[in-house]
Amino acid sequence: MNEIIAKEEIAPDTYRYQIYHPRIAQKRKAGQFVIVRTHDGGERVPLTIVGSDLTAGTVTLIFQAVGHSTRELAQLGVGDRLLDLAGPLGQATHIENYGRACVIGGGYGTAPVLPIAAALGDAGNDLIGIIGARTKELVILEQELGDICSRLEVATDDGSYGHPGFVTDVLQALLDEGEPIAFVLAVGPSPMMRAVANLTKQRAIRTMVSLNPLMVDGTGMCGGCRVEVGGETKFACVDGPEFDGHQVNFDLLMKRQGTYKPEEQEAAAHGPHCRIGLDAAR
Amino acid sequence: MSPKATAIPRQPMREQPPLERIGNFEEVPLGYTEEQARVEAGRCLQCKKPKCIEGCPVAVDIPGFVALVHEGKFAEAARKIKETNVLPAVCGRVCPQETQCEELCVLGKKGESAAIGRLERFAADWERTQGLVERPRTAPPTGRRVAIIGSGPAGLTCAADLARLGHDVTVFEALHEMGGVLVYGIPEFRLPKKILREEIDALRDMGVKLETSAVIGKLATIDELVHEDGFDAVFVGTGAGLPHFMEIPGENLLGVYSANEFLTRANLMRAYSFGEAADTPIARGKRVMVVGGGNVAMDSARTARRLGAEKVVLAYRRSRDEMPARAEEIHHAEEEGIEFHLLTVPVELRGDEMGRVSSAVMQKMELGEPDDSGRRRPVPVEGSEYEEPIDVAIIAIGAGANPLISSTTAGLETNRRGYIVSDPETGATSIPGVYAGGDIVTGSATVIEAMGAGRRAAAAIHQHLMEVRRSTEARAEV
């Protein structure tokens, strides 16, 4: 159990692991996540389940080594075991046939989009995909999403690949073209999800976003992952992680994601090991 | 026993001095010496009809083990306790003895009761530190399999009793370490984790299978445990769940924690050694407010103090007499300089431009007519508001039921607050073969009450499994 069966660097510092855990592989649904821990004393890191292989008994995880704990995770290799792997956690995505739906992934937030896109596709939706990244080499899962979507657009901030600009520019253009999009799912950095939600709100297009607040246990016990949705406090781990993008208080989410910046910076400056940045959910 | 026994004063237990201990996370009470234990045990009157046992939810033979301590037979004393209590070193430390066994002690009527909790702790520690712990005898295998969901005090007790009776027991724990609230909730300075791990190791030695990171309700439902994995009975001891917040403005500001989160970071994740042995951070407030008057509030306040807080205010909406915490925890908190703001509640939390909590608006209360709980209801005093500058707030006002099991188990009856309905005598739920006990049934209570529920359920599960076996054997003969 928990053995890394395959490891692949799909973009700089971005890894795809296949991990042996037949029961999670069998039970997981689109939109759910796991919590992993690599070593004694390590953090509990939530990561979205990107897919599973029932024959091999594996689950697929994709993560970017951006913080201390994800860098520890990236140190592992094929044959190593995760110390802990708990899941599948959170609510599965609500799937229905909306007709034409648009799935949007920003950065390594594109990874959580893949299983949801697959489930939406299986339910009969005609999918338009939009992938965004800072630069060409950070674009991930273009092939995989291309296989599911009838149309796939790519945008890079620096214009090195696809449309120059943000995913919202592409979405705006699609809507201006008159694409009859009935549903939008967006996963990525919080500012990106907020921008998408602002755009679709004007046109009253139903929009779901997958939130990545800080988390500890992931089972509802601690309440550290609380987010404000429609003026109510929700726990992302048990009520989410997906919520109505038009109702989410993104300002609060982003502030809370930065809760431990001072501690992280101090530890980075004085601690025995380097720890730059924060590990957010995926 | 000497007729002058009552003239001997209750033996005090050595403790780390307050100013020293607020600088570390090591245990506060240091335990009895052998001599002290024997003297204290000699105070017991060895009543013919011992009242103390009635006060113990697991009915430990108190005069029996105390007599053995008095005779210097310390390991035998520990084994006597273990006949009914699988976690004596834990209970000796965390039970509210003053409202249980010790409250009923005859000595306490005229003077001070026998220090039963301290003696329990002594006997268990002595046996363990001398390396004399014996693997408890288990009955021949019955071939019956029981799943225990949750490895807190209810689950561990139920598991131990069933293993002893020869059943094949697997404990499923959602977190990465066994022990439930004993590991994520109760701080190191009150219950050293090493002691807990050793008591759990004893279960493993009895053949109990322990599975961590197994979130039942998600990884497998109860229905699947029974119908696919072949478990013959299930015990649900998942404990208290979702933390309550006060529902006042500002509760989502940075630096506002549920006690569950604060203590989980500090205890389970060992955030007090962040940057060294642990990777999980915690906010180290200089001015901390804790809201609540129970053991969890005391644990939070004392943890915040050890994390470097210069001032820790504990706000409780009733008076001191109504505080549900153990007397010893209240005493220790006061010694450590925790400031009690009684008859006081925060009505609003205010933040700075970064969204960090910077002050609490506090309101004074007065006690009115008794409410449903029999305690006098706190009523706000108009115009009594004041502002308390803080940089961390910890809300320790209890928890509600976690729906992970109930929402995934068809036919499992719950009450209007979401707790599982079970027979107080047997733990039987609305589903045959499924039992429940501890906080998921009663709401927040004590370790020993959860252990009592685990015991009663184990006895009922055993009876159920044996009846099922007899009826299948009877059918086979026909």
Side-chain angles (χ1 to χ4, degrees):
Chain A
M1 292 269 269
N2 302 2
E3 187 183 340
I4 298 170
I5 304 295
K7 174 183 182 177
E8 188 188 350
E9 188 169 3
I10 59 172
D13 289 330
T14 307
Y15 297 88
R16 173 157 52 199
Y17 281 3
Q18 313 290 346
I19 297 168
Y20 185 72
H21 198 306
R23 193 129 203 178
I24 297 179
Q26 185 202 334
K27 293 289 287 192
R28 70 97 199 175
K29 293 198 173 78
Q32 291 187 300
F33 65 96
V34 288
I35 284 189
V36 305
R37 229 165 57 103
T38 54
H39 61 282
D40 187 42
E43 278 188 282
R44 293 172 63 88
V45 181
L47 295 171
T48 301
I49 303 167
V50 179
S52 62
D53 181 334
L54 293 180
T55 319
T58 56
V59 291
T60 307
L61 303 179
I62 293 177
F63 65 94
Q64 200 171 32
V66 287
H68 177 72
S69 296
T70 43
R71 274 203 298 272
E72 294 270 351
L73 185 58
Q75 295 296 311
L76 302 179
V78 171
D80 289 338
R81 282 169 207 275
L82 301 177
L83 183 60
D84 301 295
L85 178 63
L89 301 170
Q91 300 294 329
T93 307
H94 169 77
I95 299 291
E96 63 175 80
N97 189 349
Y98 299 97
R100 176 153 276 201
C102 179
V103 292
I104 307 174
Y108 64 104
T110 304
V113 167
L114 185 61
I116 303 169
L120 287 169
D122 289 345
N125 288 279
D126 179 22
L127 295 176
I128 302 176
I130 309 173
I131 305 177
R134 274 205 325 277
T135 187
K136 182 181 178 184
E137 60 179 358
L138 294 174
V139 173
I140 59 169
L141 303 177
E142 188 183 359
Q143 168 95 53
E144 290 85 342
L145 274 171
D147 290 345
I148 296 168
C149 300
S150 61
R151 178 175 175 184
L152 184 70
E153 304 291 342
V154 178
T156 50
D157 297 2
D158 65 0
S160 55
Y161 186 54
H163 302 273
F166 299 128
V167 289
T168 38
D169 300 330
V170 178
L171 178 62
Q172 178 82 59
L174 289 173
L175 294 171
D176 290 346
E177 278 173 30
E179 276 287 357
I181 294 168
F183 175 75
V184 169
L185 171 101
V187 190
S190 300
M192 176 219 115
M193 292 192 284
R194 177 169 61 183
V196 169
N198 286 343
L199 182 57
T200 57
K201 193 169 187 177
Q202 297 161 15
R203 303 187 186 227
I205 300 170
R206 194 173 160 195
T207 300
M208 295 298 281
V209 293
S210 180
L211 306 184
N212 55 350
L214 300 179
M215 245 177 224
V216 186
D217 66 294
T219 64
M221 186 268 283
C222 88
C225 64
R226 57 198 192 276
V227 292
E228 210 177 277
V229 182
E232 275 182 53
T233 295
K234 299 279 182 191
F235 290 2
C237 69
V238 286
D239 299 323
E242 284 163 34
F243 294 100
D244 180 345
H246 299 154
Q247 304 285 324
V248 170
N249 182 341
F250 284 103
D251 281 341
L252 179 70
L253 173 70
M254 286 186 269
K255 278 181 180 156
R256 287 185 61 84
Q257 283 170 332
T259 298
Y260 297 104
K261 283 242 169 76
E263 284 81 5
E264 296 278 347
Q265 280 161 1
E266 193 178 328
H270 304 292
H273 42 231
C274 176
R275 36 169 67 255
I276 299 164
L278 264 177
D279 282 311
R282 45 184 80 86
Chain B
M1 211 63 38
S2 148
K4 287 186 182 166
T6 52
I8 303 167
R10 180 176 158 112
Q11 298 297 294
M13 188 161 52
R14 294 163 304 142
E15 292 181 344
Q16 267 201 80
L19 281 177
E20 189 180 312
R21 71 194 191 222
I22 59 172
N24 65 56
F25 275 82
E26 281 148 41
E27 195 172 15
V28 171
L30 302 171
Y32 278 157
T33 60
E34 291 182 16
E35 184 55 32
Q36 280 179 308
R38 293 187 68 165
V39 171
E40 180 60 35
R43 296 179 64 235
C44 173
L45 298 175
Q46 292 293 319
C47 303
K48 288 248 162 33
K49 288 182 185 163
K51 294 299 239 181
C52 51
I53 299 179
E54 292 170 24
C56 177
V58 298
V60 166
D61 177 0
I62 294 165
F65 97 79
V66 172
L68 289 165
V69 172
H70 186 53
E71 291 164 32
K73 296 177 178 167
F74 304 134
E76 288 84 347
R79 285 164 204 156
K80 175 62 76 180
I81 302 169
K82 285 182 179 174
E83 287 174 7
T84 60
N85 181 349
V86 288
L87 305 170
V90 172
C91 289
R93 289 171 164 82
V94 307
C95 269
Q97 290 96 3
E98 71 271 13
T99 60
Q100 295 182 331
C101 51
E102 292 181 15
E103 184 178 37
L104 300 175
C105 174
V106 173
L107 280 178
K109 288 192 176 146
K110 285 188 177 166
E112 288 186 291
S113 61
I116 300 166
R118 293 171 183 181
L119 290 171
E120 178 182 36
R121 170 195 163 126
F122 168 80
D125 286 359
W126 194 90
E127 185 198 29
R128 197 185 60 252
T129 53
Q130 299 289 320
L132 295 174
V133 176
E134 286 181 350
R135 181 182 176 276
R137 266 196 294 269
T138 51
T142 62
R144 299 283 150 178
R145 300 180 64 218
V146 184
I148 308 278
I149 306 172
S151 70
L156 292 178
T157 304
C158 192
D161 281 7
L162 288 168
R164 217 177 281 180
L165 291 162
H167 302 296
D168 179 355
V169 179
T170 305
V171 181
F172 297 97
E173 165 57 48
L175 294 171
H176 57 264
E177 224 175 287
M178 303 295 294
V181 71
L182 303 172
V183 61
Y184 76 74
I186 299 180
E188 181 74 16
F189 56 81
R190 200 145 80 77
L191 175 64
K193 300 299 165 259
K194 183 172 176 289
I195 291 170
L196 177 65
R197 277 196 290 273
E198 286 175 355
E199 295 209 334
I200 289 170
D201 284 344
L203 282 188
R204 200 179 276 117
D205 289 345
M206 289 167 70
V208 175
K209 298 179 193 101
L210 306 174
E211 286 197 21
T212 52
S213 296
V215 186
I216 302 303
K218 291 288 186 184
L219 186 65
T221 61
I222 286 183
D223 195 58
E224 287 164 341
L225 289 177
V226 172
H227 293 109
E228 292 176 23
D229 297 296
F231 285 100
D232 299 295
V234 177
F235 175 75
V236 184
T238 49
L242 315 180
H244 285 318
F245 286 90
M246 304 189 69
E247 294 175 21
I248 59 173
E251 267 186 311
N252 290 333
L253 289 164
L254 277 61
V256 183
Y257 290 92
S258 73
N260 274 1
E261 182 185 359
F262 188 77
L263 292 173
T264 299
R265 283 180 181 272
N267 300 328
L268 177 72
M269 308 308 295
R270 307 199 292 270
Y272 52 83
S273 57
F274 174 71
E276 289 160 18
D279 297 337
T280 300
I282 194 165
R284 290 174 177 256
K286 288 291 165 210
R287 300 175 68 96
V288 176
M289 174 183 67
V290 177
V291 187
N295 289 324
V296 175
M298 300 301 151
D299 287 345
S300 301
R302 298 173 67 199
T303 298
R305 189 87 166 117
R306 284 161 174 75
L307 287 169
E310 285 152 14
K311 178 173 178 173
V312 182
V313 168
L314 185 140
Y316 179 55
R317 64 197 184 119
R318 302 179 198 256
S319 72
R320 194 189 181 85
D321 291 343
E322 286 89 16
M323 273 195 173
R326 286 175 88 212
E328 183 173 280
E329 309 314 327
I330 296 172
H331 171 67
H332 280 153
E334 283 193 308
E335 279 188 339
E336 290 167 14
I338 311 299
E339 291 178 27
F340 287 5
H341 289 207
L342 300 170
L343 288 163
T344 305
V345 287
V347 290
E348 182 189 344
L349 301 174
R350 292 181 180 165
D352 61 18
E353 68 284 357
M354 301 296 291
R356 288 188 181 268
V357 66
S358 57
S359 73
V361 179
M362 313 293 282
Q363 181 164 50
K364 301 293 283 180
M365 311 292 277
E366 59 190 6
L367 292 180
E369 295 301 308
D371 63 12
D372 296 347
S373 72
R375 298 181 297 182
R376 292 174 66 193
R377 186 193 303 272
V379 187
V381 178
E382 291 308 320
S384 65
E385 292 89 345
Y386 63 96
E387 200 168 341
E388 179 76 35
I390 57 170
D391 53 8
V392 163
I394 302 164
I395 314 300
I397 58 169
N402 191 317
L404 277 180
I405 295 292
S406 55
S407 65
T408 54
T409 310
L412 185 65
E413 193 190 337
T414 56
N415 67 19
R416 64 188 166 80
R417 291 158 67 215
Y419 293 109
I420 296 173
V421 175
S422 80
D423 184 325
E425 295 304 315
T426 64
T429 69
S430 56
I431 303 176
V434 178
Y435 297 76
D439 282 6
I440 191 59
V441 169
T442 58
S444 303
T446 63
V447 167
I448 191 73
E449 283 169 291
M451 291 178 67
R455 286 229 77 209
R456 291 191 296 276
I461 289 169
H462 177 62
Q463 199 177 6
H464 167 73
L465 293 176
M466 293 300 99
E467 273 167 17
V468 170
R469 184 156 81 167
R470 272 195 294 277
S471 64
T472 36
E473 281 167 0
R475 268 203 301 279
E477 280 165 28
V478 174

